[in-house]
Amino acid sequence: MPPNTEKIEGLVRQLLEELGEDPNREGLVKTPERVAKAYAFLTNGYRQDLGTVINQALFTQTTSSMVIVKDIEVYSLCEHHLLPFFGRCHIGYIPDGKVFGVSKLARLVDMYARRLQLQERLTEQISEVVMNECGAKGVGVMMEARHLCMMMRGVEKQNSTMVTSSVLGVFREHLATREEFLTLVGRKG
Ligand SMILES: [Zn+2]
């Protein structure tokens, strides 16, 4: 079900008033409508279906060398403050007969990022879905992101980046595999 944008518009108008603004002044008249549209888009991951996103774009591949997709852009909203966090995600996996079409990994990241999230959970969800959907021997996901809730308020740490990682299967069991992943995504050596 898509969100009720009319209802959201009313709530945003109330919010503007409560913040001491005049929702009828020129610059704000259309703001509730824009905000409702923006939030509908930024949370459309709730309304996407995994099967449709992947759309059977799994290809047979006999190689068992590590596949790495680096620097996938991530834009999400922290569930504690509804403020953006953004950065990059690196995914590595060792296929067991099947590989993803390259653009699918980026779409998977978007599907989970366009929800209210915690960076830790987002990282784990991505690794789990890659592992389960292509039956990989192992998966490693690393995400580096900056959080506006930290940068604009709170501790006001302007340059801190939060790094999270999730490793499954052989990435968890074999140190050498994990190290290879970290080296390839440029986090080591
Ligand atoms: Zn936050």
Side-chain angles (χ1 to χ4, degrees):
M1 280 283 284
N4 182 335
T5 45
E6 237 170 75
K7 197 165 179 184
I8 296 176
E9 286 173 30
L11 293 168
V12 173
R13 220 166 276 119
Q14 276 182 43
L15 176 65
L16 289 170
E17 277 171 14
E18 209 52 48
L19 295 174
E21 267 292 356
D22 169 13
N24 296 316
R25 74 175 170 83
E26 199 187 333
L28 292 180
V29 171
K30 289 206 150 190
T31 296
E33 188 186 325
R34 292 189 200 100
V35 173
K37 274 189 192 156
Y39 273 102
F41 177 78
L42 297 175
T43 60
N44 70 16
Y46 288 123
R47 297 173 289 281
Q48 286 178 353
D49 168 70
L50 192 55
T52 314
V53 169
I54 297 174
N55 193 23
Q56 296 172 336
L58 281 166
F59 304 100
T60 306
Q61 173 80 273
T62 48
T63 176
S64 57
S65 1
M66 193 180 294
V67 177
I68 299 262
V69 182
K70 270 173 75 164
D71 294 323
I72 301 170
E73 285 181 47
V74 179
Y75 295 95
S76 191
L77 289 171
C78 95
E79 68 181 20
H80 295 150
H81 304 94
L82 302 188
L83 287 171
F85 65 93
F86 57 96
R88 288 168 190 283
C89 173
H90 316 294
I91 302 175
Y93 64 102
I94 296 185
D96 191 12
K98 279 178 182 171
V99 294
F100 277 102
V102 177
S103 67
K104 294 299 169 186
L105 288 177
R107 295 198 55 205
L108 272 182
V109 170
D110 282 344
M111 174 178 167
Y112 288 98
R114 288 181 188 150
R115 300 173 183 202
L116 304 186
Q117 277 289 10
L118 296 172
Q119 186 180 329
E120 297 89 332
R121 186 173 63 219
L122 176 58
T123 309
E124 271 173 24
Q125 285 173 332
I126 294 166
S127 66
E128 278 163 14
V129 78
V130 172
M131 187 80 177
N132 297 337
E133 292 303 314
C134 82
K137 289 179 183 157
V139 178
V141 175
M142 175 187 281
M143 192 177 294
E144 307 168 274
R146 304 176 81 191
H147 293 243
L148 288 187
C149 61
M150 279 176 72
M151 296 164 73
M152 296 176 73
R153 56 164 290 288
V155 288
E156 293 183 48
K157 290 279 180 263
Q158 311 292 325
N159 294 307
S160 55
T161 299
M162 184 163 157
V163 180
T164 48
S165 69
S166 171
V167 289
L168 298 172
V170 290
F171 282 65
R172 180 175 283 177
E173 291 144 21
H174 297 143
L175 180 64
T177 307
R178 198 157 63 234
E179 304 252 295
E180 183 187 348
F181 170 64
L182 293 173
T183 305
L184 289 169
V185 300
R187 267 281 153 176
K188 215 169 179 297

